[in-house]
Amino acid sequence: MPKHYRPAGKKKEGNAAKYMTRSQAIKYLQVSLSLFRKLCILKGVFPRDPKKKVKGNHHTYYHMKDIAFLKHEPLVEKFRDMRTYDRKVKKAVAKKNKDLAERLLTRKPTYTLDRLIRERYPKFVDALRDLDDCLSMVHLFAALPAIEREKIEVKRVHNCRRLSHEWQAYISRCHKLRKVFISVKGIYYQAEVEGQKVTWLTPHALQQVLPDDVDYKVMLTFLEFYETLLAFVNFKIYNSINVKYPPILDPRLEALAADLYALSRYFDANSNASIASSQTVAVSETDQVKDKKDGADLDESELRLAQLQHQLPSNEPGALMRLEKDAAGEDEDDEETKECRTLFKDMKFFLSREVPRESLLFVIPAFGGVVSWEGEGAPFKETDQGITYQIVDRPTQGHKFFSRDYVQPQWVFDCINARIILPTEEYMVGRVPPPHLSPFVVYGPDEHVPDYAETIKRLQAAARKEILPMPGLVGVEDLENPQNLLDEGIIDRSEAIEVAKRKRKLSILQKQHLDELNKEVKGEKLSFESNVSDKKSATDTGDAEVDHLQEGKDEEAMLKSSMSRKQRGLYEAIQIGQERKKAKTSRIKERKRLIDEAKKSST
Amino acid sequence: MKTTKSKQDSKPKEKEPVVHEEDPVVSDSDEEWSEDEGSDGSLSDSGSEQSDFTEDKEDLTTSDDAVSLDDEDDVGQGSQSESEDDSHQGVEESDSSEDEVAPRNTIGDVPLEWYKDEEHIGYDITGKKLKKKERQDKLEQFLLSADDSNKWREIYDEYNDETVEVTKEEAKMIRRLLKGKAPHADFDPHADYVDWFRWHGKHPISNAPEPKRRFIESKWEGKKVVKLIRAIRNGWITFDKPKEEPKVYNLWGDDQAEKAGGLAYIPAPKPQLPGHEESYNPALEFIPTQEELDAYQLEFEEDRPKFIPKRFLSLRSVPAYEKAVKETFDRCLDLYLCPRARKKRINIDPESLKPKLPSRKDLRPYPSTCYLEYRGHKGPVMSISTDPSGQWIASGSSDCTVRIWEIDTGRCLKIWELDEAVNYVAWNPSPELPILAVAVGADVYLLNAGLGSEEQHKIEELLHVETPAAPAPDDSSKGAPTVCWSQDEKHKGIRLKHTKTVSSVEWHRKGDYFSSIMPSAETRAISIHQLSKKVTQRIPFKLHGLPVSTAFHPSRSVFFISTKMTVRVYDLLKHELIKKLETGLRNVSSIAIHPSGDNVIVGSREGKMCWFDMDLSSQPYKILRCHPKDITSVAYHRTYPLFASCSEDGTAYVFHGMKFFVGIKAQMEEGSWTASSTQGSPGYSPLALIRLSSFSVTKKLATGQCIGHAGYV
């Protein structure tokens, strides 16, 4: 009898009924494999692991309900229609009926994905939760070259660029950006929108490598969904700040590839307009009705409006800030947003042409700074006296203005992650900047903390006018005589006194702790000795130590033998993981030690 | 030259159309000809109508004839009519000329040489001879030609023997022919194409009038048009609508959570966030050294780290990441090809997994140190047994000796030298009978330890067998002489001769009965002996599998037989099976029963120990897997809630089995010794004696507990 024998007339049960393999699913849905893939991607259907793999281990299993879900999808029928339509066109072409072919091609059936998006993300928050991959992908494609061979069309690349800029403009405008990190892979950004942390990666703005061993068809299907999703998300978030969605940009700035600046201007213009319009709501509504009637006129007038944005007060430097101040009074933002908004307050940045402009144009306004760049369409020129920081990334800077600091781009990113204005000495032109640390790392109890992280922590504390126990020699010295700190002007007198008190307390606590430790050690020994024997102290202590060791071993073995098999496996797995982690940190620490030694010996 | 056109025929067309045909060879108006000459020369050779026209005009002017009308007509009608007229004329002309001017000569197409010498040249139509004309001589001809400028026009017709004058038009025709053109001047070689096969209104073949239906609109077409009009009016048909972009609107406007179809959506895990090492400018300690990089090369490709940190000194020197597209693609694949399942993330402290064990201190007393060694055996000790009083131990070794030791001092009291290696020793549990049962090869000896002085004679009596008498009837009556009782004079004891090797001997609690096992004896493997009556009987139960060990219940008359897989519990009085304990083990090696009789431990050669509670179930209450190698023996303490196991890996564990489970591991001292037996001892001093190869040590602890290692003396 076969293993999974089912008598005739008896229904399938259990895993055999609940799950089906991919080829079964394809047969059931009567679609091709490529179409099945596409459907799975668009519908977000993924394989599942049945407890018992009835057809064998080498199959992919889908849940029956998922497949039924696909089966009822109207898109399947739509795809079928499209296929027959394609056949019609093909036939016309084959019969050299060019007219018919052209006519058919003009009215090809299309499909929309908005319903699917609503279905997959019933709430806006759900969409935000799943936005990471979407943003990374759209940003990647915005940086890719259009390739005919792989069917990456220019239109799509442009659309990706537009969508990514719109998203960035919103994040920048609303100061939602939290963390940035320049990695080898690109620049990571983390924003917090509606309480959801959204992290995405943008590649460095360079020619991207397009490998051959990639199925672009799959990627483009994903992109199709992601483009639609991001468009709807953008609409929603623009709507939430009362800005009309498909933004109309100044074509001049667009041509100069300053989309972000154009967008920010659009925002300013729009917010002004919205303030104005709020006073005359009724009028505007009637106007809108009229507007709808003459759509063509509207478009033209809108374009004119976009061009006129140039003449708006936002053109002046600092106008943006003023606007924001106005807005700040109204909004009730959380603490963090406020902190982010005011980080680069009253600072003017100027970007040299060699720095990654798009990234900095996004990041600096997000933290309240005003920024300009070298090139046409810039809000202000390099010679502007109000510029406080010029961001350069070149070995030497020829002409220098004394009124401003010349820093490397990493300074901006480090400042953002630390949420304080860091001293610029180490980021000067031509220097090797201090290590750029990831803001995403959470340090465990005995993990390696890089030196620069400690330095930043101290600086943060200083900025908050708190004193932390400082590691290393310098720290100890500083703590020991707060007068030093006083001289340096980091703290004022009353605080110096406080510090002194705290130091005393700390030392007392330390002593107590040490005493306790000592006692504990002694006590253990004592109790142990009493256990063993009082008479022979010298020999017994030796024995006791051995026994102590053995006891530990015994304990371990006994614990293991008394645990259930499941628990033991888990325990061992955890142990292995911890060992690995430990090995990693110890390796890093060892490297650090060697580097330090080498430094010492060289000095 | 059949056509003989004169000047006349062209001139007087209307007046006398026939006349000129009568005299074809008339020549006149020399000047006209000359005029023609000139005009012909000046005009183009194309033979266009224009040239004709001018010629005709000249004709008119000179001859003052009535041709003017005709010519004017020609002009008015245009080229086509003119040509038509011409052709018409020509046709008529030719017809008449053919009729009139049939060749005079009727000889046909024969060589004229035949008439060379004749007077006549041929015959006319009536048959009369045609006389040859007089020939002019050459000189005359020349003179004539010199005088007459039109002489060149005359052509001599040999056939008819007459001179023919070429008219002006004929000359022209000839000239055209010479030039390779169409003979008639009015022939247009590039005339517009006339499609004779198209007809308007009238079919060239069928002359029927156009049917009516051609003039009435079709009913069905009309209906179709009406349909289309309606469709257009109603907006069903639209023209050239610009392709509209997909509309974006507030999709989550109402923000009511729709119930999603299908199964619950499991969000994909987010990609891991980058650490310090992924920075473009990581701290120096994150960059692997050259040696580490080289070491990576030696590893398997899949073991190598996926990402190797690299340091760039400035942002401008960072290149594009070459795996960007590939990694995104991999992520895509993960998203739609990886099975997803909700998994409980176990983020627990591993310490919490450990069962809460009580501290060891609370579980005292238990043995913890080696206190004494009993040295003396020269071979591996196979088995030990303690005396019920707890004062003595007996040990059997493979050096063929059995020794009795005093526990407290380690003094060797007595030595028996036997013939073969000792497999097992067991002390009689009854304190009045200090008798040792020793399994040696195929024999079991019952030896007098000689300890209790006052009962010495009683024991000697007990250990006396009438050698010749007793065994014989036994054998005959049973029919199957498995065991033969005989007196052993050398050792002052009884010798029970078995058929096969005896592996173990167990005493009943009262010390009268004892059982022995011969594993290779199959159905007769287990036999029970009665000391007082010197009788042996086979057990009344069927054996299932190979017996490994047996045990008597410490208080009731219950007998345990363990085979390799199971332990069966029999009632000795009722002769029935009480219980079958499923060990789940494959190779049971030993069994021990708690003094109260409700707990059983079974040790196996897989290193596992099962603990059964007899009141609960036939399944093990707990399975302990502590030894990596075979467990050789297990034992209970007689009073404390302790039990112990010893194994071939050189260790013995002592467990506390009361509230919790605690073990104390007694590591044997030197390396590879094998623990062969444990033995719970009663009362006051040693708890357990664990016997090893040929070394024996016992040490006493301050608490009065003791652990014994068998050893060398």
Side-chain angles (χ1 to χ4, degrees):
Chain A
M1 200 158 82
K3 202 175 169 191
H4 304 291
Y5 176 73
R6 179 167 52 85
K10 191 167 183 283
K11 272 189 184 174
K12 273 187 189 175
E13 280 174 354
N15 281 329
K18 266 191 210 157
Y19 294 93
M20 56 162 62
T21 61
R22 192 182 62 178
S23 44
Q24 275 177 325
I26 284 169
K27 221 173 248 177
Y28 179 72
L29 292 174
Q30 298 186 10
V31 291
S32 66
L33 177 60
S34 59
L35 186 54
F36 178 72
R37 274 200 193 123
K38 193 168 181 179
L39 278 173
C40 283
I41 291 170
L42 294 178
K43 287 280 277 182
V45 167
F46 43 84
R48 296 185 193 243
D49 259 341
K51 266 191 189 143
K52 189 172 169 189
K53 294 184 170 173
V54 180
K55 290 273 172 183
N57 260 335
H58 54 291
H59 286 285
T60 320
Y61 290 88
Y62 287 87
H63 199 281
M64 194 62 210
K65 277 188 180 170
D66 276 337
I67 299 300
F69 186 46
L70 286 185
K71 179 140 186 142
H72 289 103
E73 174 59 44
L75 216 53
V76 181
E77 203 50 45
K78 192 90 196 178
F79 281 135
R80 272 190 202 127
D81 287 351
M82 286 170 74
R83 216 171 126 231
T84 50
Y85 200 87
D86 278 348
R87 239 185 264 143
K88 261 188 205 168
V89 175
K90 220 180 189 176
K91 195 174 166 188
V93 170
K95 291 196 168 181
K96 297 187 179 150
N97 197 347
K98 213 170 146 196
D99 290 342
L100 180 65
E102 270 172 13
R103 193 164 56 79
L104 285 173
L105 279 175
T106 52
R107 45 195 67 186
K108 232 178 156 182
T110 51
Y111 57 93
T112 51
L113 297 174
D114 41 355
R115 195 182 43 75
L116 282 187
I117 288 170
R118 187 69 208 262
E119 192 179 81
R120 276 174 72 172
Y121 307 114
K123 282 183 187 165
F124 182 53
V125 180
D126 301 331
L128 283 179
R129 235 173 253 152
D130 245 14
L131 208 60
D132 286 16
D133 289 314
C134 166
L135 283 171
S136 295
M137 186 97 151
V138 169
H139 277 88
L140 175 73
F141 268 83
L144 284 190
I147 302 173
E148 196 76 357
R149 175 171 41 99
E150 309 290 3
K151 295 194 174 143
I152 305 174
E153 292 162 19
V154 184
K155 214 177 83 189
R156 296 191 83 173
V157 172
H158 279 295
N159 190 34
C160 286
R161 258 184 87 73
R162 185 178 62 80
L163 289 170
S164 58
H165 281 141
E166 283 165 7
W167 167 261
Q168 287 181 4
Y170 166 79
I171 296 293
S172 172
R173 172 73 180 180
C174 297
H175 312 286
K176 303 277 192 196
L177 195 63
R178 293 291 173 268
K179 285 170 183 173
V180 281
F181 176 53
I182 313 172
S183 94
V184 174
K185 295 179 181 179
I187 304 177
Y188 285 90
Y189 300 99
Q190 190 173 63
E192 203 177 323
V193 184
E194 299 203 357
Q196 297 299 322
K197 274 182 183 160
V198 185
T199 317
W200 73 97
L201 170 69
T202 63
H204 291 298
L206 293 163
Q207 179 71 38
Q208 296 296 322
V209 185
L210 287 164
D212 296 332
D213 54 344
V214 162
D215 188 356
Y216 288 94
K217 226 170 154 189
V218 169
M219 288 185 89
L220 286 171
T221 313
F222 267 102
L223 186 68
E224 193 183 344
F225 182 77
Y226 287 154
E227 273 177 301
T228 325
L229 172 63
L230 191 55
F232 280 105
V233 168
N234 279 349
F235 187 96
K236 173 83 182 170
I237 54 181
Y238 274 54
N239 207 26
S240 69
I241 55 168
N242 280 329
V243 177
K244 211 169 170 191
Y245 174 57
I248 301 131
L249 302 184
D250 184 352
R252 195 176 69 91
L253 281 176
E254 246 185 316
L256 290 169
D259 295 19
L260 268 175
Y261 179 57
L263 271 164
S264 79
R265 285 249 294 281
Y266 172 74
F267 273 125
D268 297 337
N270 233 323
S271 58
N272 278 351
S274 70
I275 292 163
S277 67
S278 62
Q279 295 161 352
T280 55
V281 181
V283 178
S284 66
E285 268 180 6
T286 51
D287 277 354
Q288 270 177 4
V289 174
K290 265 185 201 168
D291 280 354
K292 270 172 197 163
K293 279 178 190 167
D294 41 13
D297 288 354
L298 188 87
D299 277 359
E300 262 178 40
S301 64
E302 274 181 344
L303 210 90
R304 179 66 63 76
L305 230 160
Q307 281 162 350
L308 281 176
Q309 284 166 17
H310 209 58
Q311 273 98 54
L312 280 167
S314 60
N315 195 16
E316 307 168 16
L320 206 110
M321 289 302 299
R322 240 183 286 141
L323 267 172
E324 271 155 20
K325 271 178 208 161
D326 296 347
E330 297 158 15
D331 286 357
E332 289 151 21
D333 285 329
D334 54 318
E335 279 295 312
E336 209 173 3
T337 311
K338 268 180 200 160
E339 197 188 338
C340 287
R341 186 193 294 133
T342 52
L343 181 66
F344 291 143
K345 201 176 166 188
D346 303 330
M347 289 184 198
K348 262 172 118 176
F349 293 80
F350 189 81
L351 311 180
S352 284
R353 66 192 154 72
E354 71 277 3
V355 300
R357 191 175 78 182
E358 287 209 336
S359 169
L360 287 166
L361 275 184
F362 164 45
V363 156
I364 293 173
F367 288 86
V370 181
V371 63
S372 175
W373 66 93
E374 199 174 326
E376 268 185 77
F380 48 86
K381 293 268 171 288
E382 192 181 352
T383 49
D384 194 311
Q385 287 302 312
I387 294 170
T388 48
Y389 294 99
Q390 181 156 346
I391 295 164
V392 287
D393 191 9
R394 48 182 82 174
T396 49
Q397 172 75 16
H399 177 261
K400 279 190 180 178
F401 290 88
F402 286 110
S403 58
R404 64 184 77 156
D405 284 336
Y406 287 83
V407 288
Q408 296 194 28
Q410 195 196 315
W411 178 80
V412 177
F413 293 94
D414 280 350
C415 283
I416 286 166
N417 289 335
R419 294 285 154 72
I420 49 164
I421 303 298
L422 295 169
T424 55
E425 293 97 58
E426 291 193 82
Y427 298 92
M428 294 290 218
V429 185
R431 282 209 191 175
V432 175
H436 182 56
L437 302 174
S438 167
F440 303 113
V441 175
V442 179
Y443 299 105
D446 33 84
E447 248 171 279
H448 171 67
V449 181
D451 290 346
Y452 196 60
E454 299 278 2
T455 317
I456 287 177
K457 214 172 168 188
R458 275 200 340 253
L459 287 167
Q460 278 171 331
R464 265 183 273 124
K465 300 198 174 174
E466 286 170 14
I467 300 300
L468 281 186
M470 299 188 191
L473 276 172
V474 188
V476 170
E477 267 174 24
D478 283 356
L479 245 190
E480 267 168 15
N481 42 348
Q483 202 64 35
N484 281 1
L485 284 176
L486 195 73
D487 290 343
E488 281 162 27
I490 294 173
I491 48 170
D492 53 39
R493 188 159 293 279
S494 61
E495 273 175 353
I497 294 160
E498 221 170 89
V499 166
K501 273 184 195 165
R502 205 174 292 160
K503 186 203 122 196
R504 229 170 286 141
K505 241 184 216 172
L506 212 115
S507 64
I508 290 163
L509 276 174
Q510 235 170 13
K511 216 176 252 174
Q512 268 182 1
H513 183 67
L514 266 175
D515 286 352
E516 273 172 12
L517 269 176
N518 279 339
K519 268 181 202 168
E520 245 177 55
V521 171
K522 278 176 195 166
E524 258 199 19
K525 266 186 188 167
L526 275 174
S527 61
F528 197 79
E529 277 167 281
S530 69
N531 278 348
V532 180
S533 70
D534 300 349
K535 299 163 197 168
K536 311 160 199 173
S537 61
T539 49
D540 265 20
T541 43
D543 266 8
E545 269 167 32
V546 171
D547 264 28
H548 205 66
L549 273 177
Q550 169 144 12
E551 239 172 67
K553 271 187 203 165
D554 286 359
E555 198 107 335
E556 191 73 27
M558 286 334 291
L559 278 171
K560 272 191 185 174
S561 69
S562 58
M563 269 189 262
S564 72
R565 188 203 305 226
K566 211 173 178 182
Q567 271 183 329
R568 199 184 321 134
L570 190 61
Y571 181 76
E572 272 160 16
I574 290 173
Q575 290 291 347
I576 287 169
Q578 280 183 343
E579 283 299 313
R580 207 173 285 156
K581 221 182 240 176
K582 243 184 231 167
K584 202 178 159 196
T585 48
S586 70
R587 205 184 311 135
I588 288 171
K589 276 178 183 166
E590 176 63 21
R591 274 187 217 150
K592 172 77 185 156
R593 193 181 59 76
L594 286 176
I595 290 164
D596 286 348
E597 272 177 16
K599 260 186 201 167
K600 259 183 203 169
S601 64
S602 68
T603 52
Chain B
M1 286 269 142
K2 52 179 180 177
T3 53
T4 50
K5 257 198 216 167
S6 63
K7 170 83 193 97
Q8 294 287 347
D9 75 22
S10 69
K11 278 194 284 179
K13 254 173 214 169
E14 300 196 347
K15 284 178 186 174
E16 25 181 14
V18 197
V19 178
H20 68 278
E21 255 131 1
E22 283 178 352
D23 46 356
V25 204
V26 186
S27 68
D28 48 8
S29 65
D30 293 353
E31 38 177 307
E32 199 186 27
W33 179 253
S34 70
E35 283 270 348
D36 266 330
E37 276 262 10
S39 74
D40 207 27
S42 73
L43 281 167
S44 64
D45 312 327
S46 63
S48 70
E49 47 179 307
Q50 186 62 36
S51 66
D52 268 19
F53 181 69
T54 50
E55 264 174 28
D56 287 339
K57 275 227 160 157
E58 273 161 0
D59 273 345
L60 269 173
T61 50
T62 46
S63 59
D64 291 331
D65 272 337
V67 198
S68 61
L69 233 183
D70 188 32
D71 276 353
E72 272 173 10
D73 274 0
D74 278 1
V75 172
Q77 277 171 350
S79 63
Q80 199 165 347
S81 62
E82 195 190 343
S83 68
E84 266 176 31
D85 273 9
D86 273 18
S87 69
H88 185 65
Q89 270 180 13
V91 166
E92 272 188 6
E93 228 176 278
S94 70
D95 280 353
S96 66
S97 71
E98 261 175 15
D99 289 344
E100 299 302 320
V101 200
R104 274 199 309 158
N105 202 347
T106 56
I107 55 168
D109 194 11
V110 295
L112 287 178
E113 286 165 14
W114 295 349
Y115 295 91
K116 208 165 69 181
D117 303 329
E118 303 294 329
E119 285 222 323
H120 64 282
I121 193 166
Y123 308 91
D124 68 358
I125 202 160
T126 53
K128 283 178 189 167
K129 285 183 177 173
L130 287 174
K131 289 270 175 79
K132 276 183 185 169
K133 274 186 189 168
E134 233 179 294
R135 283 280 163 120
Q136 286 174 318
D137 59 341
K138 293 276 176 190
L139 183 65
E140 220 169 324
Q141 277 180 11
F142 175 71
L143 287 174
L144 265 173
S145 69
D147 292 342
D148 192 358
S149 62
N150 275 353
K151 185 63 184 171
W152 62 272
R153 276 182 194 272
E154 285 173 3
I155 295 166
Y156 176 66
D157 180 5
E158 266 187 343
Y159 189 71
N160 289 325
D161 187 26
E162 58 186 10
T163 346
V164 182
E165 200 176 340
V166 177
T167 61
K168 198 175 73 183
E169 269 138 35
E170 281 165 346
K172 273 187 197 168
M173 215 180 270
I174 291 163
R175 220 172 269 146
R176 281 197 207 104
L177 281 172
L178 285 173
K179 279 187 184 167
K181 291 183 178 171
H184 287 283
D186 32 328
F187 177 74
D188 181 7
H190 304 294
D192 290 336
Y193 172 71
V194 182
D195 188 2
W196 299 109
F197 301 97
R198 203 175 56 201
W199 64 95
H200 301 285
K202 237 180 204 178
H203 195 274
I205 299 166
S206 145
N207 213 8
E210 289 272 339
K212 190 184 172 187
R213 65 173 177 275
R214 302 243 169 106
F215 302 97
I216 304 170
E217 56 184 24
S218 157
K219 184 184 173 186
W220 307 111
E221 275 176 12
K223 282 193 169 179
K224 259 186 193 171
V225 169
V226 167
K227 254 189 193 171
L228 286 174
I229 288 169
R230 202 168 52 195
I232 292 167
R233 277 193 190 148
N234 291 353
W236 301 332
I237 297 176
T238 46
F239 300 100
D240 293 337
K241 248 187 19 191
K243 247 191 177 174
E244 57 178 47
E245 290 289 304
K247 247 183 91 186
V248 185
Y249 55 93
N250 195 351
L251 191 64
W252 295 279
D254 45 353
D255 231 356
Q256 287 169 344
E258 257 171 49
K259 182 79 184 84
L263 292 174
Y265 177 66
I266 303 172
K270 295 198 170 185
Q272 210 179 10
L273 290 171
H276 292 316
E277 66 279 352
E278 269 188 45
S279 166
Y280 88 98
N281 178 18
L284 278 171
E285 59 260 31
F286 290 102
I287 300 162
T289 56
Q290 192 55 47
E291 293 116 58
E292 281 170 316
L293 287 175
D294 294 342
Y296 292 155
Q297 291 302 314
L298 293 176
E299 285 177 15
F300 285 114
E301 203 168 333
E302 49 266 27
D303 293 342
R304 278 178 214 159
K306 299 278 176 298
F307 179 83
I308 295 172
K310 212 173 163 195
R311 187 164 184 242
F312 298 95
L313 294 181
S314 62
L315 188 53
R316 66 177 180 276
S317 55
V318 181
Y321 184 55
E322 68 270 19
K323 284 188 213 151
V325 176
K326 178 77 176 140
E327 279 182 6
T328 316
F329 177 62
D330 288 345
R331 172 77 183 163
C332 285
L333 289 189
D334 284 352
L335 285 179
Y336 89 95
L337 283 181
C338 270
R340 285 186 215 168
R342 268 184 208 284
K343 261 199 179 161
K344 272 183 197 158
R345 186 92 194 139
I346 299 165
N347 201 4
I348 44 169
D349 185 20
E351 294 305 312
S352 68
L353 281 175
K354 292 179 182 171
K356 287 269 176 328
L357 296 179
S359 105
R360 289 173 148 212
K361 289 174 201 162
D362 306 342
L363 298 174
R364 284 177 197 284
Y366 60 83
S368 60
T369 345
C370 184
Y371 174 61
L372 259 180
E373 281 186 39
Y374 305 90
R375 295 177 180 269
H377 279 295
K378 292 180 179 65
V381 177
M382 300 308 288
S383 172
I384 56 168
S385 176
T386 43
D387 153 47
S389 64
Q391 200 179 348
W392 313 99
I393 51 169
S395 66
S397 156
S398 55
D399 63 357
C400 309
T401 55
V402 173
R403 297 174 187 232
I404 292 180
W405 313 80
E406 191 176 17
I407 285 175
D408 283 346
T409 56
R411 179 170 64 95
C412 185
L413 189 75
K414 208 165 187 177
I415 302 174
W416 286 280
E417 304 253 340
L418 298 166
D419 314 329
E420 277 179 80
V422 179
N423 284 334
Y424 203 88
V425 287
W427 210 291
N428 194 327
S430 150
E432 295 93 54
L433 299 172
I435 295 171
L436 264 175
V438 181
V440 182
D443 300 326
V444 172
Y445 286 95
L446 298 175
L447 303 173
N448 184 2
L451 297 171
S453 50
E454 63 273 8
E455 287 136 0
Q456 214 38 256
H457 64 280
K458 198 173 147 195
I459 292 164
E460 272 167 25
E461 212 170 89
L462 199 65
L463 290 180
H464 180 75
V465 186
E466 287 132 36
T467 326
D474 256 359
D475 287 348
S476 60
S477 65
K478 298 284 176 197
T482 47
V483 178
C484 168
W485 293 71
S486 60
Q487 190 70 41
D488 189 50
E489 294 301 334
K490 188 183 165 196
H491 304 297
K492 305 252 171 73
I494 302 172
R495 182 179 177 188
L496 285 86
K497 245 190 169 166
H498 288 65
T499 49
K500 298 275 164 54
T501 315
V502 179
S503 65
S504 73
V505 181
E506 292 290 338
W507 284 97
H508 186 247
R509 64 178 193 282
K510 283 174 183 161
D512 191 20
Y513 292 92
F514 62 97
S515 70
S516 65
I517 303 177
M518 297 176 282
S520 49
E522 290 162 6
T523 52
R524 294 172 186 179
I526 298 168
S527 39
I528 292 175
H529 318 276
Q530 194 176 3
L531 179 60
S532 53
K533 291 183 181 166
K534 318 278 187 299
V535 183
T536 298
Q537 45 185 317
R538 276 169 56 201
I539 49 159
F541 318 111
K542 195 191 167 196
L543 277 173
H544 302 268
L546 210 64
V548 175
S549 61
T550 54
F552 286 96
H553 193 277
S555 52
R556 288 187 289 146
S557 55
V558 170
F559 191 52
F560 294 80
I561 300 173
S562 92
T563 54
K564 287 206 165 181
M565 313 275 275
T566 53
V567 177
R568 279 163 211 270
V569 187
Y570 297 99
D571 193 327
L572 284 173
L573 298 176
K574 293 178 186 167
H575 290 228
E576 64 180 17
L577 181 70
I578 299 172
K579 206 165 194 177
K580 185 178 157 197
L581 304 176
E582 301 282 355
T583 57
L585 305 174
R586 238 172 279 149
N587 211 342
V588 172
S589 64
S590 56
I591 179 172
I593 293 140
H594 192 261
S596 67
D598 48 5
N599 286 300
V600 175
I601 48 172
V602 174
S604 85
R605 295 206 182 277
E606 302 138 73
K608 284 183 187 170
M609 189 162 67
C610 293
W611 178 5
F612 291 94
D613 194 319
M614 295 298 285
D615 300 336
L616 295 177
S617 153
S618 59
Q619 300 290 330
Y621 162 61
K622 212 110 208 184
I623 296 174
L624 298 172
R625 201 200 153 90
C626 42
H627 292 285
K629 284 189 180 169
D630 304 16
I631 290 175
T632 49
S633 176
V634 287
Y636 269 108
H637 193 275
R638 289 183 199 172
T639 49
Y640 292 125
L642 297 173
F643 56 95
S645 69
C646 68
S647 152
E648 285 184 357
D649 61 357
T651 55
Y653 280 103
V654 180
F655 299 92
H656 194 285
M658 195 65 165
K659 323 171 229 179
F660 300 102
F661 225 21
V662 158
I664 298 109
K665 188 174 160 191
Q667 183 72 43
M668 299 305 126
E669 269 175 9
E670 281 165 40
S672 62
W673 304 339
T674 307
S676 60
S677 162
T678 61
Q679 185 70 59
S681 90
Y684 76 95
S685 66
L687 163 80
L689 294 167
I690 299 161
R691 181 181 289 194
L692 286 193
S693 42
S694 53
F695 300 84
S696 115
V697 183
T698 314
K699 274 191 180 175
K700 198 174 177 187
L701 296 182
T703 49
Q705 307 307 318
C706 161
I707 184 163
H709 294 216
Y712 232 61
V713 175

